[in-house]
Amino acid sequence: VLNWPNVTFEVTFVRDGQPLMKATQWPGGVGIHTAMRFGGWSFEQNTRPPNDWHENLAAAQKGGQVYGLVVRRLMETVPDFDTAVERVYAENYMAEQYFVMSGSGPHQGSVLTIDRNHEPGAPPAQGTPPIQRVGNASGAAWHLVQTNDDLLEPTSDPRRRVANKLLWKMNQSVTDEAHLLQFMHTPPLFNFMTVFTTVMSPATGHYETALPDEPPFRPLSNSPYTWRSSQSRSRRSASALASAATVR
């Protein structure tokens, strides 16, 4: 059985001698699932259950694309967040999934819920939420949390409830990269299925990937959960949490 944390690494893509983007990768991968364009935008993919492979194959035969190759091409060519969200959402994909994207400007954070074989310009399928964005109105949420279920529906596990409860208690002004990494290592967000945790900030160029046996080891002090030793992590989590938050 392949131990995924042992083969997880970061790669920097360079253009004309200058860093263009950075990604967390596994051997043999040519597309991207977790990546950031410096000064531009970041991207992370989550599985949307049930993710039936028979339906995915049928969708591919109808023109549905593999998301990783599409997003890599767009990240190489599209510099700004707003255009990236529009272009990523307009593509035809072979699988249902979630995309978490953030930018380098204020309120630039979005969660995209992707339908299989979605036609560009068409409304989402019945029951699929539209693009969710970080609020910019007074009193609106400054964060979004995506945990492998539709944001406008009840969550199927405690991760989103716990994450939102913790974030609502926090002042946005104290949220930085180190704090977010510690937050992501707080159970139940951090659990036995966690393969890696990546914190990205397009505005500052900060990109950090931590494996399960790397610090930080202590959860936030106000978490209702206590930290416990990790178990075997032989595969990538199908229930990873990503937070799109404007921290600068």
Side-chain angles (χ1 to χ4, degrees):
V1 178
L2 182 63
N3 189 311
W4 286 106
N6 285 352
V7 294
T8 300
F9 60 94
E10 292 180 354
V11 57
T12 301
F13 297 80
V14 176
R15 175 181 290 168
D16 298 327
Q18 298 297 319
L20 176 68
M21 61 193 213
K22 197 164 188 174
T24 304
Q25 293 283 70
W26 294 311
V30 293
I32 58 174
H33 52 77
T34 305
M36 178 187 76
R37 177 169 174 138
F38 292 100
W41 50 283
S42 68
F43 172 90
E44 190 269 347
Q45 185 266 1
N46 277 355
T47 297
R48 187 184 184 193
N51 194 35
D52 183 89
W53 72 267
H54 298 91
E55 295 184 12
N56 293 345
L57 180 58
Q61 294 172 334
K62 297 178 182 178
Q65 303 174 88
V66 177
Y67 81 90
L69 300 177
V70 173
V71 177
R72 173 173 172 174
R73 181 180 71 248
L74 292 175
M75 187 165 281
E76 290 176 349
T77 57
V78 178
D80 67 288
F81 170 79
D82 291 329
T83 304
V85 170
E86 179 181 342
R87 294 280 302 276
V88 168
Y89 194 62
E91 295 286 347
N92 177 6
Y93 301 99
M94 63 183 290
E96 296 188 338
Q97 53 207 311
Y98 304 102
F99 298 150
V100 181
M101 302 176 64
S102 62
S104 57
H107 312 296
Q108 289 189 335
S110 296
V111 172
L112 287 59
T113 303
I114 303 299
D115 291 320
R116 190 181 288 110
N117 280 144
H118 178 253
E119 293 293 333
Q126 185 176 2
T128 296
I131 297 177
Q132 301 296 294
R133 305 178 188 272
V134 171
N136 57 7
S138 176
W142 57 269
H143 62 272
L144 291 170
V145 177
Q146 207 300 306
T147 54
N148 303 91
D149 46 31
D150 292 3
L151 288 188
L152 300 185
E153 297 294 332
T155 182
S156 58
D157 64 66
R159 292 172 301 145
R160 190 188 345 147
R161 293 193 298 271
V162 172
N164 280 322
K165 183 177 180 180
L166 292 175
L167 289 169
W168 276 114
K169 291 181 178 180
M170 298 177 190
N171 188 314
Q172 184 181 0
S173 64
V174 302
T175 305
D176 56 19
E177 291 86 354
H179 188 271
L180 185 56
L181 185 60
Q182 187 180 32
F183 169 78
M184 296 292 288
H185 270 226
T186 301
L189 314 182
F190 180 83
N191 56 71
F192 74 96
M193 295 179 68
T194 302
V195 172
F196 66 84
T197 302
T198 297
V199 172
M200 301 171 277
S201 176
T204 65
H206 181 93
Y207 191 103
E208 182 178 2
T209 298
L211 300 180
D213 59 352
E214 295 178 337
F217 297 119
R218 297 177 62 84
L220 298 176
S221 58
N222 59 345
S223 170
Y225 293 81
T226 56
W227 189 86
R228 59 182 181 276
S229 299
S230 58
Q231 302 175 31
S232 172
R233 300 176 180 85
S234 59
R235 64 187 179 91
R236 185 191 180 198
S237 172
S239 55
L241 176 144
S243 175
T246 306
V247 298
R248 295 187 186 281

